[in-house]
Amino acid sequence: MKCTEFLCFLICLVDAIGSRVEAKNVAVNYPGIQFSKDGKLSITVFSDLHFGEPEQAQGRRDADIKTIGVMNNVLDSEHPNMVVLNGDLVSCEWVAPENLNSLIDQIVAPLIERNLPIAATFGNHDASKTCSTRLMSEYMWTIKGTNGKKLSFTTSSVPGEPDQVGTSNYFVPVYSSSDGSKLAMLLWFFDSRGGRIYQPSGIDIPVDDWVDDAVVAWFRQTNDQLREQVGHDIPSLAFVHIPVHATLSFQQNGGRTGTNEPGLNEEEVGNQGDVCDSNGDHCNYNGADTPFMKALIDIGVMAVFSGHDHGIDWCMKWSKNLANDPANGNGINLCFNRHSGYGGYTDWKRGARQIVIEEDKLGKNELETWIRLEDGRISGHVTLNSTYGADHYPSVDKSKTFVS
Ligand SMILES: *[C@@H]1O[C@H](CO)[C@@H](O)[C@H](O)[C@H]1NC(C)=O
């Protein structure tokens, strides 16, 4: 994106929120969130909520009501500072265009009630011939909390058609607890696309399932601009619905163990760049997420969080000794979310990923994360620090895996 477009986008966004843009330091005055007074930032990540499925889809009754129960239980346990909806909010292949907004209303009701800032990424089920992720994001943009404040950060910072670049590509700045104008961290959101082209009266046309190269260029350029403004690397997290291929390499090469990377490992990773046959089986990897993986490594995000694979929720350290994939990792962490919704395939126990970052540990590149289960228990609590991957943790027992 050209600099002028970047500035214009910021100004429009800030205008929409009603804040003021300073002539200098535009990017660091971008509306964002702030570490709370105790110096922490707590994020709840719901993934694969799959609202809007009829009973015939999975043979489950009242799926959406149960999913709202999951959201309320998790939020009551965690009291996060913000919520990420990490893709597949809706099973849009079942949803008529005129019914989409009422489903969004249901999804965000628990968040509005608690005045929680919301940042979404879109998944392959959010884009169907009947659902436009652009319309979804525009509708979410109007959502206000009970305090009258705008809650959604979800926007499209990379120009282009949704099927070419995706919709949910943007960042949210996180400011210091002690100084609301000091940029402490960045949260990056990416659209891994997939799904179908939006054309309500047309046929199903599949969309590529990886982060587009134009988005990767925007990511690098925007990060460089922000870095230049603050004068140093900015710690960051990334959220993208479909995981990168390095996770499948790790799983297939036997890199993952139940005590070093505790969590659900109930299926084979489905990753970006999968080209599948018409039934969605027999997928082949085409390497198209390589530029995105290289950018994640070069920029050195602390961790990348993905959903998509309902039965996986471990975190891995993408280290140098993982043979495969571009340049190997450089120690960044890649995490799965687990299934939060009662819609969508299979019946592993529902939960949501929690992320807690302490502002004064940002320099150490360290964060705490776990899965909060629907029943209130915690599963797979790990510290993503320099020794993660070598540290031993209790493995996750079956009672936290399957619905009993
Ligand atoms: C990382 O965290 C684990 C779990 O809390 C701990 O056992 C380990 O010593 C930590 N490593 C470092 C380098 O602090």
Side-chain angles (χ1 to χ4, degrees):
M1 183 189 288
K2 286 199 294 291
C3 190
T4 49
E5 288 168 329
F6 178 63
L7 291 179
C8 180
F9 161 70
L10 289 174
I11 289 161
C12 295
L13 182 61
V14 171
D15 274 347
I17 292 180
S19 309
R20 208 164 70 85
V21 187
E22 303 286 345
K24 277 187 272 174
N25 265 1
V26 171
V28 292
N29 283 293
Y30 185 108
I33 52 169
Q34 199 173 357
F35 275 95
S36 58
K37 289 202 174 60
D38 62 2
K40 289 184 182 173
L41 177 70
S42 162
I43 304 173
T44 295
V45 190
F46 294 112
S47 186
D48 301 273
L49 294 166
H50 285 281
F51 272 74
E53 285 191 356
E55 194 181 321
Q56 81 239 42
Q58 313 289 347
R60 289 188 212 110
R61 303 191 87 162
D62 302 326
D64 293 350
I65 293 169
K66 289 182 185 158
T67 302
I68 289 168
V70 174
M71 295 175 79
N72 281 321
N73 286 356
V74 168
L75 294 172
D76 286 345
S77 298
E78 296 292 348
H79 303 287
N81 304 115
M82 80 178 286
V83 164
V84 174
L85 303 173
N86 208 7
D88 288 0
L89 285 64
V90 179
S91 287
C92 267
E93 63 275 28
W94 298 98
V95 176
E98 64 274 18
N99 295 334
L100 181 58
N101 288 354
S102 70
L103 289 171
I104 300 291
D105 289 343
Q106 290 177 44
I107 295 170
V108 298
L111 315 180
I112 288 177
E113 220 172 274
R114 295 169 176 83
N115 291 311
L116 285 167
I118 308 162
T121 66
F122 293 119
N124 46 306
H125 287 272
D126 295 311
S128 73
K129 71 176 192 176
T130 54
C131 285
S132 149
T133 53
R134 181 170 284 165
L135 294 177
M136 210 188 295
S137 124
E138 282 170 6
Y139 183 68
M140 290 175 86
W141 196 249
T142 64
I143 294 164
K144 290 195 173 78
T146 56
N147 60 6
K149 281 196 183 154
K150 223 178 78 57
L151 295 181
S152 177
F153 284 110
T154 312
T155 189
S156 178
S157 299
V158 182
E161 288 304 308
D163 44 305
Q164 278 157 19
V165 298
T167 306
S168 56
N169 301 295
Y170 60 101
F171 70 92
V172 175
V174 186
Y175 297 103
S176 169
S177 61
S178 56
D179 178 352
S181 66
K182 185 181 164 208
L183 183 59
M185 191 169 87
L186 292 169
L187 306 176
W188 294 97
F189 298 87
F190 298 99
D191 195 329
S192 49
R193 301 180 293 154
R196 302 286 182 268
I197 292 178
Y198 174 61
Q199 43 177 11
S201 56
I203 54 161
D204 272 325
I205 299 177
V207 176
D208 293 340
D209 58 351
W210 57 86
V211 174
D212 184 63
D213 291 1
V215 175
V216 175
W218 163 84
F219 176 33
R220 286 185 181 274
Q221 190 179 345
T222 309
N223 188 69
D224 282 352
Q225 285 172 350
L226 293 167
R227 191 184 177 284
E228 218 164 274
Q229 284 193 24
V230 300
H232 54 78
D233 285 343
I234 308 162
S236 62
L237 304 180
F239 298 86
V240 63
H241 179 69
I242 306 179
V244 293
H245 181 255
T247 55
L248 178 65
S249 299
F250 187 71
Q251 188 190 48
Q252 284 184 333
N253 296 339
R256 187 261 166 188
T257 71
T259 49
N260 289 28
E261 294 86 12
L264 237 64
N265 186 45
E266 296 295 323
E267 58 179 325
E268 186 179 285
V269 169
N271 54 207
Q272 291 185 35
D274 267 346
V275 180
C276 308
D277 66 17
S278 54
N279 299 321
D281 310 322
H282 307 293
C283 302
N284 283 311
Y285 174 60
N286 68 1
D289 61 343
T290 303
F292 181 53
M293 289 198 283
K294 283 188 169 148
L296 292 167
I297 293 168
D298 289 347
I299 289 170
V301 300
M302 291 163 72
V304 185
F305 297 90
S306 295
H308 191 58
D309 299 307
H310 298 180
I312 304 180
D313 72 358
W314 39 261
C315 293
M316 61 173 270
K317 175 81 70 189
W318 187 8
S319 57
K320 289 192 176 65
N321 57 17
L322 173 61
N324 246 323
D325 292 315
N328 294 314
N330 55 351
I332 71 175
N333 301 290
L334 306 175
C335 292
F336 288 87
N337 280 341
R338 155 177 332 218
H339 192 187
S340 304
Y342 273 82
Y345 69 90
T346 66
D347 274 307
W348 293 297
K349 222 178 216 333
R350 274 70 178 181
R353 178 158 292 285
Q354 301 304 312
I355 304 165
V356 176
I357 299 152
E358 289 183 46
E359 190 178 353
D360 62 9
K361 287 189 180 162
L362 281 174
K364 289 171 70 184
N365 228 354
E366 189 175 313
L367 62 88
E368 299 283 319
T369 185
W370 59 87
I371 301 291
R372 177 67 70 169
L373 296 172
E374 177 183 14
D375 63 17
R377 291 182 298 163
I378 283 175
S379 178
H381 183 166
V382 298
T383 305
L384 299 181
N385 58 15
S386 61
T387 50
Y388 183 71
D391 295 330
H392 285 252
Y393 291 95
S395 57
V396 168
D397 68 75
K398 290 275 178 245
S399 77
K400 293 177 174 172
T401 303
F402 298 102
V403 175
S404 46

